[in-house]
Amino acid sequence: MTRKLERKLIYIGAIWEMITGLITILLYASYIKKQGLGVKETSFAKVEAIQSVFGSLYMFSVTFGMLFIAIGLINFLVAKNLKDNEVTVKVPIWLFIIGLASYFLMDILSSLMFLSAGILALAKNKSIVKLSDMVGQKTA
């Protein structure tokens, strides 16, 4: 059985995660940085404290975006190494974990793609096992 549909779903999810990561880094993080630089207060200590908070938020958002990009790259490798007519156990588990994490992070598109690919992978695993059992019984 071919795993063409799973590969496509994983590729779509991976591309979306990379786009989300780039948007987070380029747009959202730079917006946070500008907000921190634009703080005007009378006390130097208050300005420094507020800019420190915005700097921490900036670093968090950049790290979060990099995490999305890294997961997208990992999913590209997973999709590339997904083999036809072979039972895979770890790939559906990975897809469910990433799908649930995406769901909790409110990334609905990635969640749908990865959970759908995981369900399809499990269903095709079952079909591959049944077909191999039927072929084994015919030759015996």
Side-chain angles (χ1 to χ4, degrees):
M1 303 198 97
T2 63
R3 296 193 180 263
K4 188 176 179 181
L5 184 58
E6 289 99 323
R7 274 191 217 100
K8 285 182 181 180
L9 291 173
I10 296 170
Y11 281 137
I12 291 169
I15 290 168
W16 176 250
E17 282 188 339
M18 293 176 70
I19 290 170
T20 304
L22 288 172
I23 288 171
T24 301
I25 291 170
L26 297 175
L27 298 178
Y28 185 67
S30 62
Y31 172 76
I32 289 174
K33 191 70 165 179
K34 286 179 189 174
Q35 292 295 318
L37 294 175
V39 172
K40 304 280 190 250
E41 286 286 327
T42 57
S43 170
F44 178 73
K46 284 184 181 179
V47 170
E48 198 170 287
I50 292 172
Q51 285 180 346
S52 174
V53 169
F54 277 104
S56 296
L57 288 172
Y58 171 77
M59 288 306 297
F60 176 77
S61 60
V62 168
T63 304
F64 195 71
M66 292 299 289
L67 177 69
F68 268 95
I69 292 172
I71 289 174
L73 290 173
I74 291 170
N75 285 326
F76 264 115
L77 291 174
V78 167
K80 183 180 177 189
N81 294 326
L82 194 62
K83 294 187 180 11
D84 294 336
N85 296 322
E86 189 175 301
V87 176
T88 58
V89 178
K90 294 178 184 176
V91 172
I93 293 171
W94 168 256
L95 293 173
F96 280 121
I97 290 171
I98 294 300
L100 287 174
S102 297
Y103 175 75
F104 288 121
L105 293 172
M106 296 302 295
D107 188 5
I108 303 301
L109 182 66
S110 292
S111 178
L112 286 173
M113 293 298 121
F114 293 129
L115 289 175
S116 299
I119 290 169
L120 282 171
L122 285 176
K124 286 192 180 176
N125 280 350
K126 201 167 205 173
S127 299
I128 291 169
V129 168
K130 293 263 187 193
L131 284 174
S132 66
D133 287 345
M134 288 174 42
V135 170
Q137 288 176 355
K138 287 182 181 178
T139 57

